[in-house]
Amino acid sequence: MPANLPLELLYNIFLDAAKTSPLSCRALGAVSSWVRRFTLPLQYRTVSLNHATAVSLFAQSIITPLTCPPGPEFDPTDVLRHLWVSCPAKAVESVVRHCDNLTHLAIHRKNLMLLAEAAVPSSGERTYAGADDLHVVLLDSPMYEEFVLYDEVDALGNPLFGHITHLRFGSPIKLRLEIVVPLMPRLTHFAMPCGHLCALDRGFALDIVERTSIEVFVLVLMDEHLSKVERRAIKDWVRRMRKEEERIYAVTPVHSKLEMEWNAEVSGGATIWDAAVDYTRLLMDRDTVRDGILE
């Protein structure tokens, strides 16, 4: 016969398990109504949506009273911190309008304009307030397509862009930093996948230096887009450029899938920025270079 554990101990066990990942949290919420009540805030804390229909349903659910809320004051829009939306979906605008505490946002690139428009004041509608520091991942940029952040609404001074401190691109792109950086005056951390060598020259590095808000610039080495010779050349480039500019870092993805990496980070795991510091430290180590550990 199983031991009868105190409710307080069961509560802590289920709660700790729910914190390990959004998937575990959702699974535990289906165990019983009792478990669901105290894991529900965690379920709303991190939300991943990969279909437009799911985005629409979620947008409606956060403004609809819950049948069995954890408490009388519970409001899903207050607890949502991390949102992943991998597909184009107009309903994401409604989600952002109502959730002022978002800290991590991973969105399909086509949604960026919708979100920026949602941040612009309009008569009688909520505008983006958001957390002070917003970490953004832009998904599904076409390979090597020149990326235009904004082309229809005046982006300078946009409230949304003013909150972004960390920006990461999900796939290799052509990027003009002189256009991107001024739109985000508080941008300190920038990561872009590196799939080729054409942009990596001394002028590229000096351009980074001139954008004084950036403290950490990370090149993400995408193995599936690089040959062994290209990987070695990029690492050599990073070693050379760090002698002039120590804000340049390199890293390899922690997980094979970006969504897994993002979920691990928002659940309290190591960030890509931490991983870049560690990887670059190894990259610059003489013994590592000599022994070919990272080759």
Side-chain angles (χ1 to χ4, degrees):
M1 179 180 294
N4 292 321
L5 298 176
L7 285 180
E8 293 82 358
L9 181 56
L10 285 173
Y11 173 85
N12 289 327
I13 291 173
F14 282 124
L15 197 60
D16 286 344
K19 290 178 180 178
T20 58
S21 73
L23 184 60
S24 297
C25 187
R26 290 193 297 271
L28 286 167
V31 169
S32 70
S33 59
W34 177 71
V35 176
R36 178 182 179 274
R37 284 175 67 88
F38 65 77
T39 59
L40 197 59
L42 289 176
Q43 291 185 48
Y44 276 102
R45 182 179 177 84
T46 301
V47 175
S48 294
L49 305 168
N50 295 305
H51 302 284
T53 301
V55 180
S56 298
L57 291 173
F58 180 74
Q60 183 62 35
S61 73
I62 60 175
I63 60 174
T64 302
L66 297 174
T67 54
C68 296
E73 304 299 324
F74 177 75
D75 185 345
T77 63
D78 288 337
V79 299
L80 182 62
R81 297 292 188 275
H82 320 124
L83 179 64
W84 171 287
V85 181
S86 62
C87 57
K90 184 171 177 54
V92 74
E93 177 185 351
S94 176
V95 176
V96 171
R97 282 185 186 275
H98 289 91
C99 299
D100 293 338
N101 296 316
L102 283 171
T103 61
H104 290 72
L105 183 61
I107 55 170
H108 190 281
R109 64 188 181 91
K110 291 184 178 180
N111 289 331
L112 186 63
M113 187 177 300
L114 290 174
L115 296 181
E117 288 175 347
V120 178
S122 58
S123 58
E125 293 183 334
R126 289 174 53 86
T127 59
Y128 179 82
D132 289 339
D133 298 337
L134 184 61
H135 296 218
V136 174
V137 178
L138 289 179
L139 309 170
D140 284 347
S141 294
M143 288 282 291
Y144 307 124
E145 175 181 290
E146 184 163 337
F147 185 83
V148 179
L149 269 179
Y150 217 62
D151 57 5
E152 291 187 11
V153 177
D154 183 14
L156 290 174
N158 185 281
L160 175 66
F161 294 151
H163 286 265
I164 297 175
T165 57
H166 295 60
L167 178 64
R168 178 181 179 182
F169 282 85
S171 57
I173 56 168
K174 293 180 180 178
L175 187 65
R176 296 177 60 188
L177 280 176
E178 69 275 14
I179 294 178
V180 173
V181 175
L183 299 181
M184 303 175 184
R186 299 182 60 239
L187 185 65
T188 59
H189 291 64
F190 190 100
M192 59 180 289
C194 190
H196 59 82
L197 273 171
C198 64
L200 302 186
D201 55 27
R202 190 170 181 274
F204 175 83
L206 293 179
D207 191 49
I208 300 172
V209 176
E210 293 172 0
R211 314 304 166 185
T212 56
S213 67
I214 294 181
E215 299 171 3
V216 177
F217 189 100
V218 179
L219 292 173
V220 184
L221 306 184
M222 308 291 286
D223 287 347
E224 64 268 33
H225 302 310
L226 296 169
S227 66
K228 185 175 182 179
V229 172
E230 287 176 322
R231 286 197 301 273
R232 183 174 297 138
I234 292 172
K235 292 169 187 175
D236 289 341
W237 181 88
V238 171
R239 292 187 186 105
R240 291 195 307 271
M241 295 313 305
R242 277 186 61 84
K243 295 177 181 178
E244 298 184 50
E245 179 47 63
E246 293 188 346
R247 287 179 287 178
I248 299 174
Y249 295 82
V251 73
T252 56
V254 179
H255 293 282
S256 58
K257 293 185 178 180
L258 182 57
E259 186 174 3
M260 293 175 58
E261 189 171 329
W262 182 84
N263 273 313
E265 177 176 332
V266 300
S267 298
T271 68
I272 187 176
W273 319 108
D274 296 330
V277 171
D278 294 339
Y279 184 91
T280 305
R281 184 184 298 116
L282 281 175
L283 193 64
M284 300 301 292
D285 184 78
R286 290 178 181 272
D287 292 336
T288 301
V289 176
R290 182 195 62 204
D291 297 337
I293 295 175
L294 297 179
E295 300 302 325

